Amino acid sequence: MEKVCERQNLQAALKRVRQNAGSPGIDGMTVEELPNHLRVHWPLLREKLLAGQYQPQPVKRVAIPKPGGGERELGIPTVLDRFIQQALLQVLQPQFDPTFSDASYGFRPGRSAHDAVRRAQAYVQEGRSFVVDIDLEKFFDRVNHDILMGRLAKRIADRRVLRLIRRYLNAGVLADGVVIERGEGTPQGGPLSPLLANVLLDEIDKELERRGHAFVRYADDLNVYVRTQRSGERVMTSLRKLFGKLKLRVNETKSKVRRATASKFLGFSFWVAAGRTIRRRVAPQAIERMKERVRDMTRRSAGRSLAQMCKPLGKYLTGWKGYFRLAETPGVFADIDGWIRHRLRAVQLKHWKNGHVVYRELIARGVHPDEARRVAINRRRWWRTSKVALNKALPNERFRRLGVPSLAS
């Protein structure tokens, strides 16, 4: 705990919390207000931490939509508790991380989702053409506190640290003005939760290593690569038992043994190119989710100008492109580029309101009068009409200037 409270460690924790930003917890304190709060209250807070008496506040429940439907509940700690958790993480991570499995990639320094995807691709390329795709049922909500604390107690000698982690696990959830006590689970939203998840699941990793399996794990997303369907079924049966010992449940609906090329992992899937080479692509489900988001951001009835629409759209697409740049299918990105610009041209066409305005604007942009007249007459058929003359009137360069990146470039 003395290391947690060292000035240099605290400064680094404060910097990280401010970089991560995020919404306030139940006390309403913002990230911007935290430094002033610490200047006044840190001496007392430090005294409580060193004495093992600090009591975290309940987390705020926030529901966010899941890609496949339904909602995922996040527990947002207060900014102060995020700061203390981050300070704890910076002391504990260097102790635990070097002992984790080499096949574990989630929330670990110097490792990324792209590294995990490349490793999975290598396994498929080796001829492991079946995958045991494991989905855990509400993993972060089902973490058993006693089992997790038992694993931590084997590695952490400072009882104050253990008590503080236990209090973070037991901190209630504020929902509809009522604090609900929590007997299991670790809230998604706190800096410490990913490390605690890795501590618990490392036991599964070590057992898979002992049995000689080829696998990749990213947080609670686990894929084991095998050569036959029959081998996969045996692995699935044994994993159910292993997770059961940790009081975790495999989601039987989403967990399957299937062809590796028919599965997805971290938003990517694999396909067989010429010469039996395994290539990476964006999983179809990820493309459809992206298109749903773009449709929502480019609704033609949203009452925003094209420039106002393009600013958040460009930010989203830049992030999407940064993550999926690993895909080896440039033709798919070019097709999506065309689809996005088609939507934007249809938006602009509707914003021009009536046929007279459409005709005038197209002429001003160099469209032939006959073509401009045809578009103006059929202006209500937005999607079909926008594909004709607007490519010339609204070239791709205009959208680039408005901040919409090309995914294929």
Side-chain angles (χ1 to χ4, degrees), residues 242-276:
L242 289 172
F243 283 116
K245 291 178 181 178
L246 297 178
K247 298 189 184 301
L248 297 171
R249 289 206 294 267
V250 172
N251 187 325
E252 299 295 344
T253 303
K254 296 183 179 180
S255 300
K256 303 288 183 182
V257 178
R258 65 190 94 194
R259 286 275 181 184
T261 50
S263 183
K264 64 180 178 69
F265 183 53
L266 302 177
F268 292 88
S269 59
F270 304 115
W271 59 287
V272 183
R276 303 292 297 172

Side-chain angles (χ1 to χ4, degrees), residues 92-140:
L92 295 178
Q93 185 125 36
Q95 177 181 340
F96 280 91
D97 195 80
T99 67
F100 289 152
S101 167
D102 186 55
S104 168
Y105 288 88
F107 309 106
R108 297 183 60 189
R111 289 169 167 250
S112 69
H114 287 179
D115 296 328
V117 172
R118 289 189 185 98
R119 184 162 184 161
Q121 179 185 13
Y123 285 143
V124 181
Q125 187 67 67
E126 290 173 3
R128 302 174 191 275
S129 53
F130 288 86
V131 60
V132 185
D133 186 357
I134 295 291
D135 182 272
L136 294 177
E137 196 173 280
K138 296 184 177 180
F139 167 71
F140 283 94

Side-chain angles (χ1 to χ4, degrees), residues 285-303:
Q285 300 93 323
I287 291 177
E288 186 52 40
R289 285 198 297 270
M290 183 270 282
K291 286 189 171 184
E292 286 176 8
R293 181 75 180 273
V294 171
R295 289 186 189 102
D296 184 62
M297 299 177 81
T298 58
R299 290 197 312 273
R300 294 191 288 277
S301 58

Side-chain angles (χ1 to χ4, degrees), residues 101-231:
S101 167
D102 186 55
S104 168
Y105 288 88
F107 309 106
R108 297 183 60 189
R111 289 169 167 250
S112 69
H114 287 179
D115 296 328
V117 172
R118 289 189 185 98
R119 184 162 184 161
Q121 179 185 13
Y123 285 143
V124 181
Q125 187 67 67
E126 290 173 3
R128 302 174 191 275
S129 53
F130 288 86
V131 60
V132 185
D133 186 357
I134 295 291
D135 182 272
L136 294 177
E137 196 173 280
K138 296 184 177 180
F139 167 71
F140 283 94
D141 295 332
R142 295 269 167 79
V143 169
N144 183 278
H145 293 176
D146 292 333
I147 292 175
L148 174 58
M149 292 306 303
R151 303 299 184 271
L152 293 170
K154 294 177 181 177
R155 302 283 300 277
I156 300 174
D158 193 329
R159 311 306 295 180
R160 296 168 298 179
V161 171
L162 291 171
R163 281 198 298 271
L164 181 56
I165 294 175
R166 171 71 84 165
R167 286 170 182 162
Y168 273 121
L169 292 173
N170 290 340
V173 178
L174 182 67
D176 300 323
V178 178
V179 175
I180 303 171
E181 293 186 359
R182 189 174 60 227
E184 61 180 5
T186 174
Q188 297 184 68
L192 205 54
S193 291
L195 176 65
L196 299 181
N198 279 333
V199 168
L200 184 64
L201 294 177
D202 188 58
E203 184 171 318
I204 302 292
D205 298 343
K206 292 299 196 300
E207 182 60 25
L208 290 172
E209 285 179 345
R210 190 185 69 79
R211 299 181 185 185
H213 288 302
F215 70 98
V216 187
R217 183 175 65 80
Y218 192 94
D220 59 332
D221 200 340
L222 172 65
N223 277 8
V224 184
Y225 293 88
V226 296
R227 297 184 184 277
T228 66
Q229 177 84 22
R230 188 173 180 181
S231 296

